[in-house]
Amino acid sequence: MYDELTAVDIKKMEEEIRYRQEELGPVLLAEMKRTREFGDLSENAEYKEAKREKRRNEGRIRYLQNMIRTANVIDVEQKADCVSLFDWVTVYNEERGQEKKIQIVTTLRQDALKGFVSKESPLGIAVMGAKVGDRVTVQVNETRSYIVEIRKIEKGTDNEDLPISGY
């Protein structure tokens, strides 16, 4: 399965790769060389941590490069009265009696704790294409679902300030 990403997602990943290769990479390599001089590598915790951080950086670079290589780049299609990608949506959870404002984003920029919900998540799938007043079922898994009502839609854009997810 290919991730559906926008041109802004690709740009942000390329910027992070460039930063990690050109700025962070040399710093981590220098730290690894510095801590190597502390002596016996089998008991050198600082060296092991520096090596771990260098590998973590290289792993993140590979992950981002793979995401770019396999991405399905999409255009953001805004529909006037329906929930679309990057829209702010106020939903009412009938079961909990709670209202929540979320923004529908690509998987790469999701952060549910901050209200950024992936269009590929159960909630994102349920609200995409819905209109104000619609009641939609959010299918969490085979046995768990809940209903939300779309209370408000505020049109959004592919905001470059919205960061991509780390790990």
Side-chain angles (χ1 to χ4, degrees):
M1 182 175 129
Y2 297 106
D3 287 301
E4 291 186 340
L5 305 173
T6 65
V8 172
D9 290 329
I10 301 295
K11 178 183 172 197
K12 292 182 92 47
M13 287 189 292
E14 289 170 342
E15 289 170 356
E16 183 176 339
I17 290 169
R18 196 169 14 267
Y19 163 76
R20 287 180 173 278
Q21 288 176 331
E22 296 173 6
E23 294 180 39
L24 187 58
V27 170
L28 294 175
L29 182 59
E31 178 66 7
M32 203 171 95
K33 287 179 181 178
R34 185 185 73 80
T35 58
R36 184 182 185 117
E37 296 172 0
F38 291 175
D40 185 5
L41 297 182
S42 66
E43 297 180 11
N44 187 337
E46 291 88 356
Y47 174 75
K48 289 178 182 177
E49 181 59 27
K51 192 173 180 180
R52 185 176 305 120
E53 284 302 312
K54 183 177 177 292
R55 284 184 181 156
R56 183 177 161 95
N57 185 53
E58 292 167 349
R60 177 71 174 172
I61 291 168
R62 283 190 304 274
Y63 169 78
L64 292 171
Q65 288 171 332
N66 188 52
M67 288 283 289
I68 291 169
R69 188 174 52 255
T70 62
N72 179 20
V73 180
I74 58 171
D75 291 322
V76 179
E77 296 178 27
Q78 291 289 335
K79 297 176 184 168
D81 59 347
C82 297
V83 176
S84 304
L85 189 58
F86 299 111
D87 288 349
W88 286 96
V89 184
T90 302
V91 296
Y92 177 73
N93 183 322
E94 296 179 356
E95 188 176 294
R96 292 187 176 172
Q98 292 178 334
E99 192 172 87
K100 184 183 217 179
K101 186 175 181 179
I102 60 170
Q103 185 177 25
I104 306 301
V105 296
T106 58
T107 302
L108 191 62
R109 293 195 254 174
Q110 70 186 354
D111 188 341
L113 296 176
K114 293 181 180 176
F116 302 114
V117 175
S118 167
K119 70 182 196 71
E120 297 171 8
S121 69
L123 179 56
I125 291 168
V127 301
M128 285 290 286
K131 298 178 180 183
V132 173
D134 285 355
R135 294 175 69 238
V136 295
T137 301
V138 180
Q139 191 69 44
V140 178
N141 58 36
E142 292 86 29
T143 59
R144 173 80 175 104
S145 65
Y146 60 95
I147 296 174
V148 296
E149 178 186 340
I150 310 299
R151 295 242 167 125
K152 185 177 181 182
I153 301 171
E154 298 170 52
K155 290 307 187 183
T157 59
D158 193 352
N159 183 352
E160 288 194 36
D161 294 335
L162 187 61
I164 61 174
S165 302
Y167 61 56

PDB file of all heavy atoms in Angstrom, residues 63-98:
ATOM      1  N   TYR A  63      13.835   5.778   6.190  1.00  0.00           N
ATOM      2  CA  TYR A  63      12.368   5.759   6.270  1.00  0.00           C
ATOM      3  C   TYR A  63      11.768   6.857   5.395  1.00  0.00           C
ATOM      4  O   TYR A  63      10.850   6.598   4.600  1.00  0.00           O
ATOM      5  CB  TYR A  63      11.937   5.942   7.730  1.00  0.00           C
ATOM      6  CG  TYR A  63      10.473   6.202   7.910  1.00  0.00           C
ATOM      7  CD1 TYR A  63       9.545   5.163   7.829  1.00  0.00           C
ATOM      8  CD2 TYR A  63      10.006   7.488   8.172  1.00  0.00           C
ATOM      9  CE1 TYR A  63       8.189   5.404   7.989  1.00  0.00           C
ATOM     10  CE2 TYR A  63       8.655   7.729   8.336  1.00  0.00           C
ATOM     11  CZ  TYR A  63       7.752   6.696   8.250  1.00  0.00           C
ATOM     12  OH  TYR A  63       6.419   6.935   8.404  1.00  0.00           O
ATOM     13  N   LEU A  64      12.296   8.079   5.512  1.00  0.00           N
ATOM     14  CA  LEU A  64      11.766   9.197   4.727  1.00  0.00           C
ATOM     15  C   LEU A  64      12.021   8.995   3.231  1.00  0.00           C
ATOM     16  O   LEU A  64      11.147   9.269   2.402  1.00  0.00           O
ATOM     17  CB  LEU A  64      12.379  10.514   5.201  1.00  0.00           C
ATOM     18  CG  LEU A  64      11.965  10.955   6.609  1.00  0.00           C
ATOM     19  CD1 LEU A  64      12.808  12.146   7.066  1.00  0.00           C
ATOM     20  CD2 LEU A  64      10.485  11.268   6.680  1.00  0.00           C
ATOM     21  N   GLN A  65      13.198   8.504   2.882  1.00  0.00           N
ATOM     22  CA  GLN A  65      13.500   8.243   1.471  1.00  0.00           C
ATOM     23  C   GLN A  65      12.552   7.195   0.897  1.00  0.00           C
ATOM     24  O   GLN A  65      12.081   7.319  -0.232  1.00  0.00           O
ATOM     25  CB  GLN A  65      14.955   7.798   1.310  1.00  0.00           C
ATOM     26  CG  GLN A  65      15.946   8.908   1.526  1.00  0.00           C
ATOM     27  CD  GLN A  65      17.389   8.434   1.587  1.00  0.00           C
ATOM     28  OE1 GLN A  65      17.680   7.300   1.968  1.00  0.00           O
ATOM     29  NE2 GLN A  65      18.305   9.325   1.231  1.00  0.00           N
ATOM     30  N   ASN A  66      12.255   6.170   1.684  1.00  0.00           N
ATOM     31  CA  ASN A  66      11.329   5.138   1.240  1.00  0.00           C
ATOM     32  C   ASN A  66       9.914   5.696   1.094  1.00  0.00           C
ATOM     33  O   ASN A  66       9.199   5.359   0.152  1.00  0.00           O
ATOM     34  CB  ASN A  66      11.337   3.952   2.209  1.00  0.00           C
ATOM     35  CG  ASN A  66      10.538   2.793   1.689  1.00  0.00           C
ATOM     36  OD1 ASN A  66      10.739   2.347   0.557  1.00  0.00           O
ATOM     37  ND2 ASN A  66       9.619   2.299   2.496  1.00  0.00           N
ATOM     38  N   MET A  67       9.506   6.545   2.021  1.00  0.00           N
ATOM     39  CA  MET A  67       8.183   7.176   1.938  1.00  0.00           C
ATOM     40  C   MET A  67       8.060   7.987   0.647  1.00  0.00           C
ATOM     41  O   MET A  67       7.047   7.917  -0.039  1.00  0.00           O
ATOM     42  CB  MET A  67       7.934   8.089   3.145  1.00  0.00           C
ATOM     43  CG  MET A  67       7.706   7.387   4.440  1.00  0.00           C
ATOM     44  SD  MET A  67       6.064   6.698   4.606  1.00  0.00           S
ATOM     45  CE  MET A  67       5.097   8.175   4.784  1.00  0.00           C
ATOM     46  N   ILE A  68       9.100   8.744   0.334  1.00  0.00           N
ATOM     47  CA  ILE A  68       9.081   9.555  -0.887  1.00  0.00           C
ATOM     48  C   ILE A  68       9.022   8.657  -2.109  1.00  0.00           C
ATOM     49  O   ILE A  68       8.250   8.891  -3.040  1.00  0.00           O
ATOM     50  CB  ILE A  68      10.314  10.490  -0.948  1.00  0.00           C
ATOM     51  CG1 ILE A  68      10.203  11.577   0.127  1.00  0.00           C
ATOM     52  CG2 ILE A  68      10.463  11.109  -2.332  1.00  0.00           C
ATOM     53  CD1 ILE A  68      11.471  12.385   0.328  1.00  0.00           C
ATOM     54  N   ARG A  69       9.839   7.611  -2.111  1.00  0.00           N
ATOM     55  CA  ARG A  69       9.921   6.713  -3.263  1.00  0.00           C
ATOM     56  C   ARG A  69       8.599   5.995  -3.532  1.00  0.00           C
ATOM     57  O   ARG A  69       8.227   5.774  -4.681  1.00  0.00           O
ATOM     58  CB  ARG A  69      11.053   5.699  -3.047  1.00  0.00           C
ATOM     59  CG  ARG A  69      11.359   4.827  -4.243  1.00  0.00           C
ATOM     60  CD  ARG A  69      12.573   3.928  -4.056  1.00  0.00           C
ATOM     61  NE  ARG A  69      12.540   3.118  -2.850  1.00  0.00           N
ATOM     62  CZ  ARG A  69      13.274   3.354  -1.747  1.00  0.00           C
ATOM     63  NH1 ARG A  69      14.093   4.371  -1.694  1.00  0.00           N
ATOM     64  NH2 ARG A  69      13.176   2.568  -0.693  1.00  0.00           N
ATOM     65  N   THR A  70       7.880   5.649  -2.473  1.00  0.00           N
ATOM     66  CA  THR A  70       6.661   4.855  -2.643  1.00  0.00           C
ATOM     67  C   THR A  70       5.369   5.673  -2.540  1.00  0.00           C
ATOM     68  O   THR A  70       4.286   5.110  -2.634  1.00  0.00           O
ATOM     69  CB  THR A  70       6.607   3.720  -1.606  1.00  0.00           C
ATOM     70  OG1 THR A  70       6.571   4.288  -0.290  1.00  0.00           O
ATOM     71  CG2 THR A  70       7.800   2.793  -1.753  1.00  0.00           C
ATOM     72  N   ALA A  71       5.493   6.981  -2.359  1.00  0.00           N
ATOM     73  CA  ALA A  71       4.304   7.820  -2.148  1.00  0.00           C
ATOM     74  C   ALA A  71       3.454   7.947  -3.408  1.00  0.00           C
ATOM     75  O   ALA A  71       3.965   7.969  -4.527  1.00  0.00           O
ATOM     76  CB  ALA A  71       4.720   9.203  -1.683  1.00  0.00           C
ATOM     77  N   ASN A  72       2.168   8.023  -3.189  1.00  0.00           N
ATOM     78  CA  ASN A  72       1.216   8.373  -4.229  1.00  0.00           C
ATOM     79  C   ASN A  72       0.879   9.847  -3.988  1.00  0.00           C
ATOM     80  O   ASN A  72       0.159  10.176  -3.052  1.00  0.00           O
ATOM     81  CB  ASN A  72      -0.037   7.494  -4.116  1.00  0.00           C
ATOM     82  CG  ASN A  72      -1.077   7.831  -5.150  1.00  0.00           C
ATOM     83  OD1 ASN A  72      -0.777   8.432  -6.175  1.00  0.00           O
ATOM     84  ND2 ASN A  72      -2.306   7.444  -4.873  1.00  0.00           N
ATOM     85  N   VAL A  73       1.460  10.741  -4.805  1.00  0.00           N
ATOM     86  CA  VAL A  73       1.271  12.173  -4.605  1.00  0.00           C
ATOM     87  C   VAL A  73      -0.125  12.561  -5.104  1.00  0.00           C
ATOM     88  O   VAL A  73      -0.501  12.260  -6.238  1.00  0.00           O
ATOM     89  CB  VAL A  73       2.361  12.992  -5.320  1.00  0.00           C
ATOM     90  CG1 VAL A  73       2.159  14.482  -5.096  1.00  0.00           C
ATOM     91  CG2 VAL A  73       3.743  12.560  -4.840  1.00  0.00           C
ATOM     92  N   ILE A  74      -0.879  13.207  -4.201  1.00  0.00           N
ATOM     93  CA  ILE A  74      -2.260  13.569  -4.523  1.00  0.00           C
ATOM     94  C   ILE A  74      -2.429  15.082  -4.529  1.00  0.00           C
ATOM     95  O   ILE A  74      -1.679  15.814  -3.894  1.00  0.00           O
ATOM     96  CB  ILE A  74      -3.253  12.953  -3.504  1.00  0.00           C
ATOM     97  CG1 ILE A  74      -2.930  13.422  -2.073  1.00  0.00           C
ATOM     98  CG2 ILE A  74      -3.260  11.446  -3.596  1.00  0.00           C
ATOM     99  CD1 ILE A  74      -3.969  13.049  -1.041  1.00  0.00           C
ATOM    100  N   ASP A  75      -3.425  15.530  -5.268  1.00  0.00           N
ATOM    101  CA  ASP A  75      -3.834  16.929  -5.246  1.00  0.00           C
ATOM    102  C   ASP A  75      -4.955  17.055  -4.234  1.00  0.00           C
ATOM    103  O   ASP A  75      -5.774  16.142  -4.076  1.00  0.00           O
ATOM    104  CB  ASP A  75      -4.337  17.372  -6.630  1.00  0.00           C
ATOM    105  CG  ASP A  75      -3.217  17.444  -7.654  1.00  0.00           C
ATOM    106  OD1 ASP A  75      -2.105  17.861  -7.285  1.00  0.00           O
ATOM    107  OD2 ASP A  75      -3.462  17.084  -8.816  1.00  0.00           O
ATOM    108  N   VAL A  76      -5.002  18.177  -3.554  1.00  0.00           N
ATOM    109  CA  VAL A  76      -6.055  18.417  -2.572  1.00  0.00           C
ATOM    110  C   VAL A  76      -7.279  18.949  -3.308  1.00  0.00           C
ATOM    111  O   VAL A  76      -7.227  19.999  -3.926  1.00  0.00           O
ATOM    112  CB  VAL A  76      -5.585  19.411  -1.493  1.00  0.00           C
ATOM    113  CG1 VAL A  76      -6.695  19.675  -0.495  1.00  0.00           C
ATOM    114  CG2 VAL A  76      -4.345  18.889  -0.806  1.00  0.00           C
ATOM    115  N   GLU A  77      -8.349  18.168  -3.246  1.00  0.00           N
ATOM    116  CA  GLU A  77      -9.604  18.567  -3.890  1.00  0.00           C
ATOM    117  C   GLU A  77     -10.566  19.060  -2.825  1.00  0.00           C
ATOM    118  O   GLU A  77     -10.992  18.291  -1.971  1.00  0.00           O
ATOM    119  CB  GLU A  77     -10.225  17.378  -4.630  1.00  0.00           C
ATOM    120  CG  GLU A  77      -9.393  16.867  -5.781  1.00  0.00           C
ATOM    121  CD  GLU A  77     -10.032  15.655  -6.442  1.00  0.00           C
ATOM    122  OE1 GLU A  77     -11.268  15.518  -6.378  1.00  0.00           O
ATOM    123  OE2 GLU A  77      -9.277  14.857  -7.010  1.00  0.00           O
ATOM    124  N   GLN A  78     -10.883  20.342  -2.861  1.00  0.00           N
ATOM    125  CA  GLN A  78     -11.820  20.920  -1.905  1.00  0.00           C
ATOM    126  C   GLN A  78     -13.231  20.868  -2.485  1.00  0.00           C
ATOM    127  O   GLN A  78     -13.462  21.269  -3.608  1.00  0.00           O
ATOM    128  CB  GLN A  78     -11.446  22.374  -1.598  1.00  0.00           C
ATOM    129  CG  GLN A  78     -10.161  22.516  -0.816  1.00  0.00           C
ATOM    130  CD  GLN A  78     -10.318  22.037   0.634  1.00  0.00           C
ATOM    131  OE1 GLN A  78     -11.398  22.023   1.187  1.00  0.00           O
ATOM    132  NE2 GLN A  78      -9.215  21.630   1.217  1.00  0.00           N
ATOM    133  N   LYS A  79     -14.154  20.357  -1.690  1.00  0.00           N
ATOM    134  CA  LYS A  79     -15.562  20.339  -2.070  1.00  0.00           C
ATOM    135  C   LYS A  79     -16.274  21.336  -1.173  1.00  0.00           C
ATOM    136  O   LYS A  79     -16.093  21.318   0.048  1.00  0.00           O
ATOM    137  CB  LYS A  79     -16.136  18.940  -1.918  1.00  0.00           C
ATOM    138  CG  LYS A  79     -15.461  17.939  -2.832  1.00  0.00           C
ATOM    139  CD  LYS A  79     -15.985  16.548  -2.604  1.00  0.00           C
ATOM    140  CE  LYS A  79     -15.195  15.557  -3.469  1.00  0.00           C
ATOM    141  NZ  LYS A  79     -15.450  14.186  -3.097  1.00  0.00           N
ATOM    142  N   ALA A  80     -17.084  22.190  -1.760  1.00  0.00           N
ATOM    143  CA  ALA A  80     -17.667  23.336  -1.055  1.00  0.00           C
ATOM    144  C   ALA A  80     -18.403  22.972   0.229  1.00  0.00           C
ATOM    145  O   ALA A  80     -18.233  23.616   1.254  1.00  0.00           O
ATOM    146  CB  ALA A  80     -18.599  24.108  -1.995  1.00  0.00           C
ATOM    147  N   ASP A  81     -19.235  21.955   0.215  1.00  0.00           N
ATOM    148  CA  ASP A  81     -20.074  21.682   1.387  1.00  0.00           C
ATOM    149  C   ASP A  81     -19.769  20.348   2.061  1.00  0.00           C
ATOM    150  O   ASP A  81     -20.505  19.923   2.936  1.00  0.00           O
ATOM    151  CB  ASP A  81     -21.551  21.753   0.995  1.00  0.00           C
ATOM    152  CG  ASP A  81     -21.913  20.768  -0.104  1.00  0.00           C
ATOM    153  OD1 ASP A  81     -20.996  20.212  -0.738  1.00  0.00           O
ATOM    154  OD2 ASP A  81     -23.111  20.533  -0.325  1.00  0.00           O
ATOM    155  N   CYS A  82     -18.689  19.690   1.663  1.00  0.00           N
ATOM    156  CA  CYS A  82     -18.329  18.384   2.222  1.00  0.00           C
ATOM    157  C   CYS A  82     -16.968  18.466   2.919  1.00  0.00           C
ATOM    158  O   CYS A  82     -16.145  19.308   2.599  1.00  0.00           O
ATOM    159  CB  CYS A  82     -18.226  17.339   1.120  1.00  0.00           C
ATOM    160  SG  CYS A  82     -19.742  17.020   0.240  1.00  0.00           S
ATOM    161  N   VAL A  83     -16.750  17.543   3.837  1.00  0.00           N
ATOM    162  CA  VAL A  83     -15.447  17.446   4.503  1.00  0.00           C
ATOM    163  C   VAL A  83     -14.410  16.957   3.494  1.00  0.00           C
ATOM    164  O   VAL A  83     -14.604  15.942   2.836  1.00  0.00           O
ATOM    165  CB  VAL A  83     -15.505  16.479   5.707  1.00  0.00           C
ATOM    166  CG1 VAL A  83     -14.116  16.324   6.331  1.00  0.00           C
ATOM    167  CG2 VAL A  83     -16.513  16.947   6.744  1.00  0.00           C
ATOM    168  N   SER A  84     -13.329  17.725   3.380  1.00  0.00           N
ATOM    169  CA  SER A  84     -12.221  17.396   2.484  1.00  0.00           C
ATOM    170  C   SER A  84     -10.919  17.414   3.282  1.00  0.00           C
ATOM    171  O   SER A  84     -10.888  17.835   4.436  1.00  0.00           O
ATOM    172  CB  SER A  84     -12.129  18.421   1.350  1.00  0.00           C
ATOM    173  OG  SER A  84     -13.340  18.518   0.646  1.00  0.00           O
ATOM    174  N   LEU A  85      -9.863  17.001   2.631  1.00  0.00           N
ATOM    175  CA  LEU A  85      -8.544  16.997   3.249  1.00  0.00           C
ATOM    176  C   LEU A  85      -8.171  18.411   3.687  1.00  0.00           C
ATOM    177  O   LEU A  85      -8.384  19.369   2.947  1.00  0.00           O
ATOM    178  CB  LEU A  85      -7.516  16.455   2.249  1.00  0.00           C
ATOM    179  CG  LEU A  85      -6.116  16.169   2.751  1.00  0.00           C
ATOM    180  CD1 LEU A  85      -6.132  15.163   3.906  1.00  0.00           C
ATOM    181  CD2 LEU A  85      -5.249  15.643   1.630  1.00  0.00           C
ATOM    182  N   PHE A  86      -7.650  18.538   4.895  1.00  0.00           N
ATOM    183  CA  PHE A  86      -7.192  19.760   5.554  1.00  0.00           C
ATOM    184  C   PHE A  86      -8.313  20.638   6.100  1.00  0.00           C
ATOM    185  O   PHE A  86      -8.048  21.710   6.634  1.00  0.00           O
ATOM    186  CB  PHE A  86      -6.230  20.573   4.666  1.00  0.00           C
ATOM    187  CG  PHE A  86      -4.989  19.808   4.332  1.00  0.00           C
ATOM    188  CD1 PHE A  86      -4.753  19.377   3.035  1.00  0.00           C
ATOM    189  CD2 PHE A  86      -4.083  19.462   5.317  1.00  0.00           C
ATOM    190  CE1 PHE A  86      -3.619  18.634   2.726  1.00  0.00           C
ATOM    191  CE2 PHE A  86      -2.951  18.719   5.022  1.00  0.00           C
ATOM    192  CZ  PHE A  86      -2.717  18.305   3.725  1.00  0.00           C
ATOM    193  N   ASP A  87      -9.551  20.189   6.017  1.00  0.00           N
ATOM    194  CA  ASP A  87     -10.654  20.941   6.618  1.00  0.00           C
ATOM    195  C   ASP A  87     -10.656  20.748   8.128  1.00  0.00           C
ATOM    196  O   ASP A  87     -10.278  19.693   8.635  1.00  0.00           O
ATOM    197  CB  ASP A  87     -12.011  20.477   6.070  1.00  0.00           C
ATOM    198  CG  ASP A  87     -12.234  20.914   4.642  1.00  0.00           C
ATOM    199  OD1 ASP A  87     -11.456  21.737   4.123  1.00  0.00           O
ATOM    200  OD2 ASP A  87     -13.206  20.416   4.033  1.00  0.00           O
ATOM    201  N   TRP A  88     -11.111  21.778   8.836  1.00  0.00           N
ATOM    202  CA  TRP A  88     -11.367  21.700  10.269  1.00  0.00           C
ATOM    203  C   TRP A  88     -12.814  21.273  10.427  1.00  0.00           C
ATOM    204  O   TRP A  88     -13.707  21.856   9.820  1.00  0.00           O
ATOM    205  CB  TRP A  88     -11.135  23.052  10.939  1.00  0.00           C
ATOM    206  CG  TRP A  88      -9.679  23.380  11.070  1.00  0.00           C
ATOM    207  CD1 TRP A  88      -8.927  24.151  10.218  1.00  0.00           C
ATOM    208  CD2 TRP A  88      -8.797  22.941  12.092  1.00  0.00           C
ATOM    209  NE1 TRP A  88      -7.627  24.210  10.660  1.00  0.00           N
ATOM    210  CE2 TRP A  88      -7.520  23.485  11.813  1.00  0.00           C
ATOM    211  CE3 TRP A  88      -8.953  22.144  13.225  1.00  0.00           C
ATOM    212  CZ2 TRP A  88      -6.416  23.249  12.627  1.00  0.00           C
ATOM    213  CZ3 TRP A  88      -7.850  21.923  14.035  1.00  0.00           C
ATOM    214  CH2 TRP A  88      -6.603  22.463  13.740  1.00  0.00           C
ATOM    215  N   VAL A  89     -13.043  20.246  11.230  1.00  0.00           N
ATOM    216  CA  VAL A  89     -14.379  19.683  11.387  1.00  0.00           C
ATOM    217  C   VAL A  89     -14.720  19.611  12.871  1.00  0.00           C
ATOM    218  O   VAL A  89     -13.937  19.093  13.667  1.00  0.00           O
ATOM    219  CB  VAL A  89     -14.459  18.255  10.776  1.00  0.00           C
ATOM    220  CG1 VAL A  89     -15.873  17.711  10.848  1.00  0.00           C
ATOM    221  CG2 VAL A  89     -13.940  18.242   9.349  1.00  0.00           C
ATOM    222  N   THR A  90     -15.890  20.134  13.216  1.00  0.00           N
ATOM    223  CA  THR A  90     -16.371  20.000  14.586  1.00  0.00           C
ATOM    224  C   THR A  90     -17.333  18.820  14.598  1.00  0.00           C
ATOM    225  O   THR A  90     -18.320  18.806  13.846  1.00  0.00           O
ATOM    226  CB  THR A  90     -17.082  21.280  15.057  1.00  0.00           C
ATOM    227  OG1 THR A  90     -16.155  22.376  14.939  1.00  0.00           O
ATOM    228  CG2 THR A  90     -17.537  21.152  16.506  1.00  0.00           C
ATOM    229  N   VAL A  91     -17.005  17.806  15.397  1.00  0.00           N
ATOM    230  CA  VAL A  91     -17.823  16.596  15.488  1.00  0.00           C
ATOM    231  C   VAL A  91     -18.374  16.461  16.903  1.00  0.00           C
ATOM    232  O   VAL A  91     -17.732  16.872  17.869  1.00  0.00           O
ATOM    233  CB  VAL A  91     -17.037  15.317  15.098  1.00  0.00           C
ATOM    234  CG1 VAL A  91     -16.616  15.350  13.643  1.00  0.00           C
ATOM    235  CG2 VAL A  91     -15.819  15.116  15.989  1.00  0.00           C
ATOM    236  N   TYR A  92     -19.543  15.883  16.990  1.00  0.00           N
ATOM    237  CA  TYR A  92     -20.181  15.632  18.276  1.00  0.00           C
ATOM    238  C   TYR A  92     -20.295  14.129  18.462  1.00  0.00           C
ATOM    239  O   TYR A  92     -20.942  13.448  17.667  1.00  0.00           O
ATOM    240  CB  TYR A  92     -21.563  16.279  18.328  1.00  0.00           C
ATOM    241  CG  TYR A  92     -22.319  15.997  19.598  1.00  0.00           C
ATOM    242  CD1 TYR A  92     -21.954  16.597  20.797  1.00  0.00           C
ATOM    243  CD2 TYR A  92     -23.388  15.112  19.607  1.00  0.00           C
ATOM    244  CE1 TYR A  92     -22.635  16.327  21.968  1.00  0.00           C
ATOM    245  CE2 TYR A  92     -24.086  14.837  20.766  1.00  0.00           C
ATOM    246  CZ  TYR A  92     -23.697  15.446  21.947  1.00  0.00           C
ATOM    247  OH  TYR A  92     -24.373  15.178  23.100  1.00  0.00           O
ATOM    248  N   ASN A  93     -19.630  13.611  19.499  1.00  0.00           N
ATOM    249  CA  ASN A  93     -19.681  12.190  19.818  1.00  0.00           C
ATOM    250  C   ASN A  93     -20.916  11.962  20.675  1.00  0.00           C
ATOM    251  O   ASN A  93     -20.965  12.391  21.827  1.00  0.00           O
ATOM    252  CB  ASN A  93     -18.405  11.766  20.554  1.00  0.00           C
ATOM    253  CG  ASN A  93     -18.360  10.291  20.860  1.00  0.00           C
ATOM    254  OD1 ASN A  93     -19.374   9.685  21.201  1.00  0.00           O
ATOM    255  ND2 ASN A  93     -17.183   9.707  20.755  1.00  0.00           N
ATOM    256  N   GLU A  94     -21.923  11.311  20.097  1.00  0.00           N
ATOM    257  CA  GLU A  94     -23.193  11.111  20.795  1.00  0.00           C
ATOM    258  C   GLU A  94     -23.051  10.233  22.027  1.00  0.00           C
ATOM    259  O   GLU A  94     -23.704  10.457  23.040  1.00  0.00           O
ATOM    260  CB  GLU A  94     -24.219  10.521  19.834  1.00  0.00           C
ATOM    261  CG  GLU A  94     -24.556  11.463  18.694  1.00  0.00           C
ATOM    262  CD  GLU A  94     -25.559  10.884  17.709  1.00  0.00           C
ATOM    263  OE1 GLU A  94     -25.957   9.706  17.849  1.00  0.00           O
ATOM    264  OE2 GLU A  94     -25.945  11.622  16.792  1.00  0.00           O
ATOM    265  N   GLU A  95     -22.194   9.238  21.956  1.00  0.00           N
ATOM    266  CA  GLU A  95     -22.000   8.313  23.065  1.00  0.00           C
ATOM    267  C   GLU A  95     -21.421   9.015  24.300  1.00  0.00           C
ATOM    268  O   GLU A  95     -21.840   8.759  25.427  1.00  0.00           O
ATOM    269  CB  GLU A  95     -21.069   7.186  22.611  1.00  0.00           C
ATOM    270  CG  GLU A  95     -20.906   6.053  23.573  1.00  0.00           C
ATOM    271  CD  GLU A  95     -20.040   4.945  22.966  1.00  0.00           C
ATOM    272  OE1 GLU A  95     -20.480   4.317  21.981  1.00  0.00           O
ATOM    273  OE2 GLU A  95     -18.920   4.744  23.478  1.00  0.00           O
ATOM    274  N   ARG A  96     -20.463   9.885  24.071  1.00  0.00           N
ATOM    275  CA  ARG A  96     -19.799  10.589  25.170  1.00  0.00           C
ATOM    276  C   ARG A  96     -20.431  11.940  25.487  1.00  0.00           C
ATOM    277  O   ARG A  96     -20.108  12.552  26.503  1.00  0.00           O
ATOM    278  CB  ARG A  96     -18.324  10.804  24.854  1.00  0.00           C
ATOM    279  CG  ARG A  96     -17.538   9.527  24.828  1.00  0.00           C
ATOM    280  CD  ARG A  96     -16.089   9.819  24.675  1.00  0.00           C
ATOM    281  NE  ARG A  96     -15.326   8.583  24.748  1.00  0.00           N
ATOM    282  CZ  ARG A  96     -14.050   8.516  24.503  1.00  0.00           C
ATOM    283  NH1 ARG A  96     -13.377   9.589  24.189  1.00  0.00           N
ATOM    284  NH2 ARG A  96     -13.423   7.360  24.588  1.00  0.00           N
ATOM    285  N   GLY A  97     -21.240  12.453  24.558  1.00  0.00           N
ATOM    286  CA  GLY A  97     -21.818  13.773  24.756  1.00  0.00           C
ATOM    287  C   GLY A  97     -20.774  14.870  24.672  1.00  0.00           C
ATOM    288  O   GLY A  97     -20.883  15.897  25.332  1.00  0.00           O
ATOM    289  N   GLN A  98     -19.734  14.657  23.831  1.00  0.00           N
ATOM    290  CA  GLN A  98     -18.628  15.610  23.719  1.00  0.00           C
ATOM    291  C   GLN A  98     -18.484  16.115  22.298  1.00  0.00           C
ATOM    292  O   GLN A  98     -18.646  15.362  21.336  1.00  0.00           O
ATOM    293  CB  GLN A  98     -17.312  14.956  24.121  1.00  0.00           C
ATOM    294  CG  GLN A  98     -17.189  14.608  25.573  1.00  0.00           C
ATOM    295  CD  GLN A  98     -15.859  13.926  25.876  1.00  0.00           C
ATOM    296  OE1 GLN A  98     -15.246  13.305  25.023  1.00  0.00           O
ATOM    297  NE2 GLN A  98     -15.422  14.042  27.122  1.00  0.00           N
TER     298      GLN A  98
END
